[in-house]
Amino acid sequence: MSPTAPLPEPCLTISRERFARLLEVLREDGYRLVGPTVRDGAIVHDAISGVSDLPEGVGESQERGTYRLESRGDRALFGYAVGPHSWKPSFFAPTVPLWRARRKDGSFTVLEHGAREQPPLALIGARSCDLHAIAIQDRVFLGGETIDPAYEARRRRTFVVAVNCGRAGGTCFCVSMGTGPRATLGFDLALTELLDDRGHRFIVDIGSEPGRDVLARIGAEETTPEDREAADAVIARTAEHMGRQMPTDGIKEVLYASVDHPRWDDVAARCLACTNCTLVCPTCFCSTVEDRTDLAGEVAERVQRWDSCFTMEHSHVHGGSVHASIKSRYRQWLTHKLASWIDQFGTSGCVGCGRCITWCPAAIDITEEVAALRAPARR
Ligand code: SF4
Ligand code: SF4
């Protein structure tokens, strides 16, 4: 299924009121709802209780190094492109306690260890690029010989309500990466939001049996031919208005052949090694382990926390860091993301969400860097 192709048949339609009921039913079934909401001048993912928490009528403009909320002047609930939060923290948590112990009588007692049971999670409004990113992280954390128990505990019971993007953000390039804008995998229900003189409604693509069951409980109508056409037009328009492009033909070979390209010096002069790009990236998965004690020295704990290949410590082996310069760290990040990731996991490590472009304080643009690497090197 192509992520730019028309919606599959048959489709069903739910009104805005029935969409509100959908969220209620998921809550009644014990799901904790996580969805988009406005906080601190951005649309972020957080716990929501219903439709009133969604960013109604809020859109945004984003470009390299800039992000601004804007009023859309309508009642759209999902009329924005991806914000700073992916769904990564929902499954690959920023910090995970591994164990905690208390000193006692010259020895110690382990207070807790191992993965904790997690409540079932319903993701509301997940976009296609992010569903591809979740599939990539599933492969990393669950697809190998060793399964990450903390990730598995969070991921196990998930219900996904995807939303097909109604507009492309200024830094989006999912069409280049083959990951959007239409959701084709990893969802229980996928909605296309329509808002016109025929009313506010959602065209629903069913992705799983649990999705079909929930939809049957809230009730849905057969989609009219006019609405199918309108929903397909929304997706086609989004695909045509990508903010960026990044041709991927031969990209692995380009990166592998660019080890000595002078562009690395150029980008290193601008990069602050702030780690933002890796923290907002929905596929980056590096972590480190820290040991902590309380001030009295009575309680000790080991915690896993997100790390970034832009830090000096990330590549520290005995005697020093392998990637001591920003140049080598940026080259390592981009080469892994777009080349060695393919050898390692069978897909690109980039889904074209554009977050690393928007949230880079130095306005570095991955698509521009790749275009520069493709150009013949001038030394
Ligand atoms: S590329 Fe940008 S976001 Fe990434 S580390 Fe460098 S300055 Fe920070
Ligand atoms: S590398 Fe940038 S554009 Fe690609 S998935 Fe990560 S944050 Fe998104």
Side-chain angles (χ1 to χ4, degrees):
M1 252 189 309
S2 161
T4 53
L7 290 165
E9 295 202 51
C11 281
L12 296 169
T13 300
I14 57 172
S15 62
R16 178 185 166 120
E17 292 69 33
R18 280 195 167 135
F19 171 68
R21 179 69 192 133
L22 168 67
L23 301 189
E24 285 171 12
V25 165
L26 290 171
R27 287 186 65 195
E28 287 163 13
D29 286 353
Y31 286 100
R32 178 171 172 264
L33 307 186
V34 178
T37 196
V38 174
R39 196 179 70 214
D40 300 333
I43 296 171
V44 297
H45 296 154
D46 207 344
I48 59 168
S49 54
V51 165
S52 60
D53 290 329
L54 297 176
E56 178 173 321
V58 182
E60 94 300 332
S61 65
Q62 44 187 313
E63 252 305 326
R64 56 169 81 194
T66 69
Y67 177 98
R68 294 283 180 278
L69 292 184
E70 292 173 349
S71 170
R72 290 173 49 94
D74 63 16
R75 298 190 66 204
L77 297 174
F78 298 99
Y80 57 87
V82 295
H85 287 182
S86 68
W87 302 94
K88 178 165 79 173
S90 299
F91 307 123
F92 171 40
T95 59
V96 177
L98 299 178
W99 56 259
R100 218 155 64 89
R102 180 183 293 281
R103 189 208 302 258
K104 196 176 175 200
D105 302 331
S107 181
F108 65 90
T109 308
V110 175
L111 303 174
E112 53 186 303
H113 68 95
R116 293 176 192 159
E117 192 65 21
Q118 300 292 330
L121 205 60
L123 312 186
I124 309 301
R127 306 307 173 98
S128 181
C129 60
D130 282 339
L131 296 179
H132 281 263
I134 291 171
I136 288 171
Q137 291 222 315
D138 282 353
R139 210 167 300 136
V140 172
F141 290 113
L142 307 175
E145 285 177 15
T146 308
I147 286 175
D148 185 303
Y151 184 93
E152 206 264 337
R154 288 180 164 78
R155 182 79 177 94
R156 193 182 302 140
R157 290 175 297 161
T158 313
F159 190 98
V160 177
V161 180
V163 169
N164 293 319
C165 288
R167 55 178 292 275
T171 57
C172 292
F173 56 102
C174 64
V175 169
S176 298
M177 305 313 291
T179 57
R182 184 165 78 74
T184 56
L185 54 79
F187 61 85
D188 295 284
L189 298 172
L191 315 181
T192 308
E193 186 171 25
L194 295 180
L195 184 57
D196 55 27
D197 51 12
R198 295 205 294 274
H200 194 173
R201 60 214 183 277
F202 297 88
I203 313 306
V204 189
D205 180 9
I206 298 168
S208 72
E209 281 311 310
R212 189 182 303 282
D213 291 347
V214 168
L215 199 59
R217 285 160 60 197
I218 63 167
E221 291 156 12
E222 202 170 310
T223 302
T224 63
E226 294 77 21
D227 273 1
R228 262 194 67 85
E229 211 171 288
D232 286 342
V234 163
I235 296 166
R237 193 175 58 234
T238 304
E240 281 164 18
H241 289 89
M242 288 285 114
R244 295 282 192 285
Q245 289 183 349
M246 190 169 79
T248 55
D249 53 299
I251 197 163
K252 186 173 93 170
E253 290 70 27
V254 169
L255 266 293
Y256 282 155
S258 297
V259 177
D260 296 320
H261 200 289
R263 184 69 181 191
W264 303 120
D265 289 310
D266 185 285
V267 70
R270 290 173 281 133
C271 175
L272 308 170
C274 70
T275 77
N276 258 18
C277 49
T278 52
L279 300 182
V280 294
C281 180
T283 67
C284 280
F285 58 81
C286 285
S287 65
T288 188
V289 170
E290 277 180 357
D291 290 335
R292 303 169 180 168
T293 55
D294 66 355
L295 285 177
E298 293 297 318
V299 176
E301 61 178 359
R302 177 163 288 182
V303 175
Q304 175 189 306
R305 67 158 176 80
W306 285 3
D307 199 2
S308 167
C309 55
F310 279 90
T311 68
M312 186 82 113
E313 297 75 29
H314 183 269
S315 64
H316 190 101
V317 288
H318 81 92
S321 292
V322 174
H323 298 298
S325 68
I326 292 181
K327 172 183 169 180
S328 69
R329 278 176 257 158
Y330 190 90
R331 182 176 57 197
Q332 137 69 26
W333 176 69
L334 200 66
T335 306
H336 187 214
K337 193 87 3 209
L338 300 176
S340 49
W341 200 298
I342 298 172
D343 289 333
Q344 200 176 359
F345 300 112
T347 66
S348 173
C350 176
V351 296
C353 71
R355 289 186 178 95
C356 59
I357 306 171
T358 301
W359 299 96
C360 174
I364 293 170
D365 178 341
I366 184 173
T367 65
E368 189 179 83
E369 296 310 314
V370 171
L373 292 173
R374 282 184 182 278
R378 264 180 282 152
R379 295 169 199 271

